[in-house]
Amino acid sequence: MAGGDLTSALLKRVSRSFYISLAVLPSAIRPTIGLAYLLARAADTIADTRLIDRRARITHLEALGAEMTGTEHRRLAGIIAAAGYRSMPAERQSLERLPDCLAAYRALPPEDQDRVRAVIETIIEGMTQDLRLFPGEDEGKLAALETYQDLDRYTYLVAGCVGEFWTDVHVAHRPRLRHWNLEKMTALGIRFGKALQLTNVLRDIPRDLRQGRCYLPRQDLALLGLEPKDLLVPRSGPALRPLLVDLLNVALDHYEAGWQYTFAIPKRETRMRLACAWPLLIGLRTLDLLAQAPNWLDPATVLKVPRIRVYGMMAQSVATVWSTRALARKARQLRERIRL
């Protein structure tokens, strides 16, 4: 199966939301970005396989990284064996099709192989760091990041690097982008990725805490008289809110960088504009839900943009994506909705 056909078929099964964004991209870009996503998804499946101990998961992640620099599938059998521990068919398939994904990766032009390998190695670094930092699987062994710098580094390793990769791939393959200041656009792309990941961190606080992970920095919690274990009690929500508002503002500033990135895309690169605008629109809607939530620490709080609203935003953006003024107006409206 050709690389493009493989990524399309697999992405329909493992991530319908990302498949929509991938499908709108120019055909020259899809195989490289799609394969990177599938390899990252396989790494995520390995990292989250809770019935395998953490040391083994780190070994499997390192093996996946090694496979991308080798020529033989010497360690794939051990990685794929982890699929048996996953109950979701899509997650099993993301591992079972690893040989096909790696074959398609090796068929890419050498420059694109280098780009994919670099971003996957960075993501794997973030995942292995996560597995080492958070020793447990539940609230009984709750651990926390120490500083805001640690949180910022984490958002780079698992998402900011994707903005860097995305920029490099597009500039290499889209002649209209060759006038870009690569250093400036890469920096904006990194912040774009950080915006989306910080949104995930803020949205998933209750779930992560109950899985032994606190991404809110311990030093910042201490300034509010809180410890990570205090966050397991929803009534700590009001005391935590100043830190949540600070981080939400950081996320909003990153979104501004993401919009600057999108506005810099030539208007004739409509597909790329759409693929960037959609996650920004959805992410800002999610931040709006967060800002309005009476208590972010309550695990019963649902902070997900309804599918019908997502499709509505996407449909509306198709008609306005060529207009920087229209996109800027929509971004401003969404930001103004967010009451901190």
Side-chain angles (χ1 to χ4, degrees):
M1 183 181 289
D5 294 338
L6 171 70
T7 55
S8 294
L10 276 181
L11 281 166
K12 284 181 181 179
R13 295 182 176 89
V14 304
S15 179
R16 290 185 181 275
S17 58
F18 185 80
Y19 173 74
I20 293 171
S21 293
L22 182 74
V24 81
L25 286 176
S27 59
I29 303 293
R30 290 177 212 158
T32 303
I33 291 183
L35 280 170
Y37 178 84
L38 289 171
L39 290 166
R41 180 64 180 261
D44 187 59
T45 299
I46 294 166
D48 284 346
T49 305
R50 296 179 65 178
L51 295 180
I52 300 176
D53 70 58
R54 289 176 173 273
R55 189 172 301 173
R57 279 180 261 175
I58 291 172
T59 298
H60 288 317
L61 287 170
E62 292 173 343
L64 176 58
E67 287 292 332
M68 299 188 69
T69 58
T71 57
E72 300 178 3
H73 303 318
R74 291 172 296 175
R75 301 174 70 181
L76 273 184
I79 300 173
I80 297 169
Y85 291 95
R86 301 297 296 189
S87 60
M88 299 295 290
E91 293 172 327
R92 285 199 302 272
Q93 192 169 45
S94 72
L95 292 180
E96 290 166 352
R97 298 298 299 273
L98 261 178
D100 294 330
C101 289
L102 286 167
Y105 155 73
R106 293 188 180 101
L108 292 172
E111 297 83 1
D112 281 344
Q113 286 186 46
D114 290 343
R115 295 178 181 105
V116 172
R117 182 173 61 251
V119 73
I120 297 302
E121 286 176 348
T122 303
I123 290 171
I124 287 175
E125 179 186 347
M127 291 176 177
T128 55
Q129 176 181 290
D130 214 55
L131 287 167
R132 290 189 174 102
L133 176 63
F134 302 114
E137 304 290 354
D138 55 42
E139 60 194 60
K141 291 186 177 180
L142 180 61
L145 296 178
E146 192 63 29
T147 67
Y148 170 76
Q149 288 71 28
D150 293 331
L151 173 59
D152 186 62
R153 176 64 177 166
Y154 167 75
T155 61
Y156 168 75
L157 289 174
V158 299
C161 67
V162 176
E164 191 172 21
F165 163 75
W166 177 282
T167 304
D168 197 14
V169 171
H170 276 81
V171 169
H173 289 278
R174 305 303 293 172
R176 294 191 188 102
L177 303 180
R178 286 176 183 162
H179 70 280
W180 267 10
N181 179 324
L182 188 56
E183 181 178 357
K184 174 185 176 181
M185 296 308 298
T186 297
L188 290 175
I190 288 171
R191 293 191 66 193
F192 191 146
K194 286 181 177 182
L196 302 180
Q197 187 59 33
L198 188 52
T199 301
N200 291 340
V201 166
L202 295 175
R203 181 195 63 198
D204 294 338
I205 288 171
R207 186 195 68 180
D208 287 336
L209 289 169
R210 285 155 184 80
Q211 294 179 357
R213 304 191 299 260
C214 178
Y215 292 102
L216 301 181
R218 188 187 301 274
Q219 288 185 5
D220 294 277
L221 291 173
L223 293 174
L224 299 175
L226 296 170
E227 298 180 14
K229 65 181 180 179
D230 296 330
L231 309 186
L232 292 164
V233 183
R235 66 171 177 269
S236 299
L240 179 65
R241 188 165 180 82
L243 175 56
L244 297 179
V245 169
D246 285 347
L247 292 176
L248 195 147
N249 276 314
V250 171
L252 286 173
D253 287 344
H254 285 326
Y255 274 96
E256 288 297 313
W259 282 116
Q260 290 177 40
Y261 185 97
T262 305
F263 300 154
I265 299 169
K267 294 179 181 180
R268 293 180 65 188
E269 289 289 335
T270 305
R271 290 174 173 270
M272 185 183 179
R273 277 195 159 214
L274 283 172
C276 290
W278 287 344
L280 291 172
L281 292 169
I282 296 167
L284 283 171
R285 284 287 188 185
T286 303
L287 289 188
D288 184 26
L289 293 176
L290 284 165
Q292 293 182 34
N295 190 349
W296 290 4
L297 293 182
D298 186 350
T301 302
V302 177
L303 297 171
K304 187 173 183 179
V305 182
R307 189 178 296 271
I308 190 171
R309 177 160 289 184
V310 170
Y311 290 151
M313 287 189 296
M314 292 171 68
Q316 185 182 44
S317 65
V318 169
T320 60
V321 70
W322 58 270
S323 170
T324 296
R325 180 177 296 179
L327 282 178
R329 181 168 59 249
K330 186 63 177 179
R332 185 171 60 253
Q333 288 171 350
L334 286 171
R335 176 150 190 167
E336 289 173 352
R337 278 177 55 91
I338 299 172
R339 297 288 181 261
L340 306 178

Coordinates of all heavy atoms in Angstrom, one line a residue, residues 224 226 236-248 290-296 339-340:
L224 N 0.1 29.3 46.4 CA -1.3 29.5 46.8 C -1.7 28.6 48.0 O -2.8 28.5 48.4 CB -2.2 29.0 45.6 CG -2.0 29.7 44.3 CD1 -2.8 29.1 43.2 CD2 -2.5 31.2 44.5
L226 N -1.1 25.4 48.3 CA -1.7 24.1 47.9 C -0.6 23.1 47.6 O 0.5 23.5 47.3 CB -2.5 24.3 46.6 CG -3.8 25.1 46.7 CD1 -4.4 25.4 45.4 CD2 -4.9 24.5 47.6
S236 N -11.2 22.5 46.4 CA -9.9 23.3 46.3 C -10.0 24.2 45.1 O -9.1 25.1 44.9 CB -8.7 22.4 46.3 OG -8.6 21.6 47.4
G237 N -11.0 24.1 44.3 CA -11.1 24.8 43.0 C -11.0 26.3 43.2 O -10.2 26.9 42.4
P238 N -11.7 27.0 44.1 CA -11.6 28.4 44.2 C -10.2 28.9 44.6 O -9.7 29.9 44.1 CB -12.6 28.8 45.3 CG -13.6 27.7 45.2 CD -12.8 26.4 44.9
A239 N -9.5 28.1 45.4 CA -8.1 28.5 45.8 C -7.2 28.3 44.6 O -6.2 29.1 44.5 CB -7.7 27.6 47.0
L240 N -7.4 27.4 43.8 CA -6.6 27.1 42.6 C -6.8 28.1 41.5 O -5.9 28.3 40.6 CB -6.8 25.7 42.1 CG -6.0 25.3 40.9 CD1 -4.5 25.2 41.3 CD2 -6.4 23.9 40.4
R241 N -8.0 28.8 41.4 CA -8.4 29.5 40.3 C -7.3 30.6 39.8 O -7.1 30.8 38.6 CB -9.7 30.2 40.5 CG -10.2 30.8 39.2 CD -11.7 31.2 39.3 NE -12.1 31.8 38.0 CZ -12.5 31.1 36.9 NH1 -12.4 29.8 36.9 NH2 -12.8 31.7 35.8
P242 N -6.6 31.3 40.7 CA -5.6 32.3 40.2 C -4.6 31.7 39.3 O -4.2 32.3 38.3 CB -5.0 32.9 41.5 CG -6.1 32.7 42.5 CD -6.8 31.4 42.2
L243 N -4.1 30.5 39.7 CA -3.1 29.8 38.8 C -3.7 29.4 37.5 O -3.1 29.5 36.4 CB -2.5 28.6 39.5 CG -1.5 27.7 38.7 CD1 -0.4 28.6 38.2 CD2 -1.0 26.6 39.6
L244 N -5.0 28.9 37.5 CA -5.6 28.5 36.3 C -5.8 29.6 35.4 O -5.6 29.5 34.2 CB -6.9 27.8 36.6 CG -6.9 26.5 37.5 CD1 -8.3 26.0 37.7 CD2 -6.0 25.5 36.8
V245 N -6.2 30.8 35.9 CA -6.4 32.0 35.1 C -5.0 32.4 34.5 O -5.0 32.8 33.3 CB -7.0 33.1 35.9 CG1 -6.9 34.4 35.2 CG2 -8.4 32.8 36.3
D246 N -4.0 32.3 35.3 CA -2.6 32.7 34.7 C -2.3 31.8 33.6 O -1.8 32.3 32.5 CB -1.6 32.6 35.8 CG -1.6 33.7 36.9 OD1 -2.3 34.7 36.6 OD2 -1.0 33.5 37.9
L247 N -2.5 30.5 33.7 CA -2.2 29.6 32.6 C -3.1 29.7 31.4 O -2.7 29.5 30.3 CB -2.2 28.1 33.2 CG -1.1 27.8 34.2 CD1 -1.3 26.4 34.7 CD2 0.3 28.0 33.6
L248 N -4.3 30.0 31.7 CA -5.3 30.3 30.6 C -4.8 31.5 29.8 O -4.9 31.5 28.6 CB -6.7 30.5 31.1 CG -7.8 30.3 30.1 CD1 -9.0 29.7 30.7 CD2 -8.1 31.7 29.5
L290 N -13.7 26.2 29.5 CA -12.9 26.2 30.8 C -13.1 27.4 31.6 O -13.3 27.4 32.8 CB -11.4 26.1 30.4 CG -10.9 24.7 29.9 CD1 -9.5 24.9 29.3 CD2 -10.8 23.8 31.1
A291 N -13.1 28.6 30.9 CA -13.3 29.8 31.7 C -14.7 29.9 32.3 O -14.8 30.5 33.4 CB -13.1 31.0 30.7
Q292 N -15.7 29.3 31.7 CA -17.0 29.4 32.2 C -17.3 28.3 33.3 O -18.3 28.4 34.0 CB -18.0 29.2 31.1 CG -18.1 30.4 30.1 CD -19.1 30.2 29.0 OE1 -20.2 29.6 29.3 NE2 -18.8 30.7 27.8
A293 N -16.5 27.3 33.3 CA -16.7 26.1 34.2 C -16.7 26.6 35.7 O -15.7 27.3 36.1 CB -15.7 25.1 34.0
P294 N -17.7 26.3 36.5 CA -17.7 26.7 37.9 C -16.6 26.1 38.7 O -16.1 26.7 39.7 CB -19.1 26.3 38.4 CG -19.5 25.2 37.5 CD -18.9 25.5 36.2
N295 N -16.1 24.9 38.3 CA -15.0 24.3 39.1 C -14.3 23.3 38.2 O -14.8 22.2 37.8 CB -15.6 23.5 40.3 CG -14.5 23.0 41.2 OD1 -13.3 23.1 40.9 ND2 -14.8 22.6 42.4
W296 N -13.1 23.7 37.8 CA -12.3 22.9 36.8 C -11.8 21.6 37.5 O -11.5 20.6 36.8 CB -11.0 23.6 36.4 CG -11.3 24.8 35.5 CD1 -12.5 25.2 35.1 CD2 -10.3 25.6 34.8 NE1 -12.4 26.3 34.2 CE2 -11.0 26.6 34.1 CE3 -8.9 25.6 34.8 CZ2 -10.4 27.5 33.3 CZ3 -8.3 26.6 34.1 CH2 -9.0 27.6 33.3
R339 N -14.2 35.0 29.5 CA -14.3 35.9 30.7 C -13.5 35.2 31.8 O -13.8 34.2 32.3 CB -15.7 36.1 31.2 CG -16.6 36.8 30.1 CD -16.1 38.3 30.0 NE -17.0 39.0 29.0 CZ -16.6 39.3 27.8 NH1 -15.4 38.8 27.4 NH2 -17.3 39.9 26.9
L340 N -12.4 35.9 32.2 CA -11.5 35.3 33.2 C -11.8 35.8 34.6 O -12.4 36.8 34.8 CB -10.0 35.6 32.9 CG -9.6 35.2 31.5 CD1 -8.2 35.7 31.2 CD2 -9.7 33.7 31.3

